[in-house]
Amino acid sequence: MKSRLLGMAFAAADTLLELDADGRVDMALGAGPCPRGATAETWCGVLLKDLVGKAGQKPLADALAAIRPNVRPAPIDALVVCDPDRVRRARLRLFQLPDLAPAVSCAITYDGAPFTLEIPDAPNLLGVDGLLSLVRGSLLEPGGDVAVAFVDVPGLAVADDAHQRAAARVAAVLQACSIDGSSAARLAPDRFALVRASDSQADIATEVRDAAAAEGLDLAVRARQAALSGVAPVEPTVRALRFALEACIKEGGADGAAAFSDSLRRTLKEADRFRAMVQTRDFSLQYQPIVDLATGVTHHFEALARFGSRGPADSIRLAEELGLIEGFDLAVAEKALQQLRRPGFGLTRIAVNVSGASLGSNAYVDGLLRLTAAAPDIRNRILIEVTETAAVADIEAAARRLTALRKAGVRVCLDDFGVGAASLDYLHRLPADTVKIDGRFMRDIGADQRARDLVAHLVDLCADLKMTTIAEMIETEEQATAIRDLGVGYGQGWLFGRPAAEPVTAAPKPVAVRRRGAVASWG
Ligand code: C2E
Ligand code: MG
Ligand code: MG
């Protein structure tokens, strides 16, 4: 008994088993696999291999075959059967105490609570948001060393019963592998992710394969993980993670974790680059005219950011995701104001884009008012276009900020109107002077009666709300005529002028009447 207890103490185990030459449990000491259930004694007389899940059986047989006194096989991580319905993750260490040979001892340490593999419906898995909030929580914990594991099961996205049952089992297995038993997420029908301790040993791929095999499916499984330890600070990491995760989901089929690690690394690097770019003002603006559709006269210019030769869309999205957009939008406003102050541009008006995210705090609005405080009249020559790419989080607060800007003389335009789900809500709750109808409506405006009806109603609605309308991405005379006939007031697009280094008016390109040299009022 003494040597057995010593063995148990040595292995720091929950349960100590002694096996006969066939691998049958002769004696069991310590706790059973169910925390409040029977003791391990109930295992006496049972073959150890029948107590572990399928994935553990071969390593167990190999270890039993190889064992000799003073030779310790590598530990085996396996699922141990608790009762007919439940299993528990455990680490098994086999050893042979010289004075008990040929008996073999097996020390079992449990890891996590018992869980069931028999779940009729898929357990609730997290989405990306849930996953990220867990990552944030784990990283905030002292010493929080976590990894995000990706599991691809390409054959799982089939809608029959067997596949659905298999998906439920896979979900249960992944939950059980996750850090607190509920940190697994389903990113796509055949792609999962979970947060786990970065030193966790469980062989996820094998367990998932076994779960599918239990439903008679032989599915390929690929599991990889990206460690997140040591990537402080937490918030930028979580934001970068979201960005990388979404990129990864969009890419589909690619090797989940490898793509993800790359994407995360790339994202963190690009964030650094973007920050430096804003700080040194190492970007430029191009100006594209917006014309009065009735007269062809340029009304104002939209400032569009340029990073070298690249278009801004990707960098802007990254900046929005990583919380860097506010500083950037303000830097854009600063550059546009410099342009407005240049000699010869005293009558020019410029629209700058402002991400909805930049209206999430007072910093942008305060900054813009500060930049224009010395000569406030210039505010009458600025318009901000609130882009919808990042939703406005607190719409009431954003509305208050826009009201402050309008009181100061800055005009407000809702950009890309009609494509985002929040458009009508914006129209209803954000104070604005102008609505810019998204360019996608322009594509089919000639042929598509529905698009025309929509625009006509929108124009009426805006007229009732005393707002003007702009149509963007007008490339052809036909589009311009169609849109003007529907009552849209202003137009922007290649037909009237491409974005250019300076806000200078080329010869007007009237749709109906030609009238040169005039500068229209905001009205
Ligand atoms: P947006 O504000 O809707 O800008 C219009 C986009 O349409 C611009 O793309 C412009 O170059 C392009 N465009 C103009 N006319 C035509 C046309 O006739 N046909 C076609 N196919 N395209 C046309 P760009 O410059 O790539 O900008 C993309 C988006 O990036 C902008 O969309 C805006 O949402 C964002 N953005 C640009 N600058 C800034 C900025 O300073 N701050 C913020 N927050 N966002 C910005
Ligand atoms: Mg715009
Ligand atoms: Mg747009």
Side-chain angles (χ1 to χ4, degrees), residues 210-277:
D210 283 354
E215 291 298 336
L217 300 178
D218 180 16
L219 299 181
V221 179
R222 193 168 43 201
R224 300 276 299 275
Q225 74 182 49
L228 291 179
S229 28
V231 281
V234 171
E235 276 316 309
T237 304
V238 172
R239 290 207 182 104
L241 185 62
R242 172 188 294 278
F243 192 82
L245 210 51
E246 282 172 358
C248 204
I249 293 169
K250 222 166 61 195
E251 278 159 26
D255 183 336
F260 172 76
S261 302
D262 283 356
S263 176
L264 183 61
R265 213 173 310 120
R266 225 182 307 129
T267 303
L268 289 168
K269 208 190 289 160
E270 277 176 28
D272 280 344
R273 205 181 304 146
F274 192 89
R275 242 179 252 117
M277 188 270 305

Side-chain angles (χ1 to χ4, degrees), residues 402-454:
L402 291 178
T403 300
L405 280 185
R406 290 178 82 210
K407 275 207 182 114
V410 175
R411 305 287 203 290
V412 172
C413 169
L414 303 181
D415 204 350
D416 301 329
F417 193 83
V419 287
S423 280
L424 268 184
D425 207 32
Y426 275 38
L427 192 58
H428 172 56
R429 292 160 78 188
L430 293 180
D433 305 274
T434 304
V435 161
K436 193 186 260 193
I437 303 164
D438 191 80
R440 267 161 277 191
F441 287 99
M442 252 14 72
R443 219 175 24 210
D444 322 305
I445 199 80
D448 183 348
Q449 187 58 41
R450 275 169 68 91
R452 274 205 297 276
D453 287 347
L454 249 156

Side-chain angles (χ1 to χ4, degrees), residues 1 4-5 8 14-18 27-32 40-41:
M1 181 59 92
R4 286 174 179 135
L5 288 175
M8 185 148 162
D14 296 304
T15 307
L16 186 68
L17 305 178
E18 221 168 80
M27 196 202 70
L29 287 175
E41 273 168 59

Side-chain angles (χ1 to χ4, degrees), residues 41-121:
E41 273 168 59
T42 54
W43 283 349
C44 286
V46 181
L47 284 171
L48 180 58
K49 84 169 178 39
D50 292 338
L51 292 172
V52 303
K54 224 170 119 193
Q57 291 177 5
K58 172 134 182 12
L60 179 67
D62 292 347
L64 282 172
I67 200 144
R68 287 189 307 282
N70 301 320
V71 174
R72 285 173 180 271
I76 299 159
D77 289 308
L79 293 179
V80 166
V81 178
C82 297
D83 52 48
D85 295 330
R86 290 183 310 161
V87 292
R88 192 171 185 190
R89 190 175 313 293
R91 171 164 284 196
L92 280 60
R93 289 189 189 83
L94 294 180
F95 52 96
Q96 201 164 44
L97 296 168
D99 48 341
L100 294 179
V104 172
S105 300
C106 173
I108 301 180
T109 313
Y110 302 111
D111 172 15
F115 59 95
T116 174
L117 288 176
E118 299 289 339
I119 298 187
D121 302 311

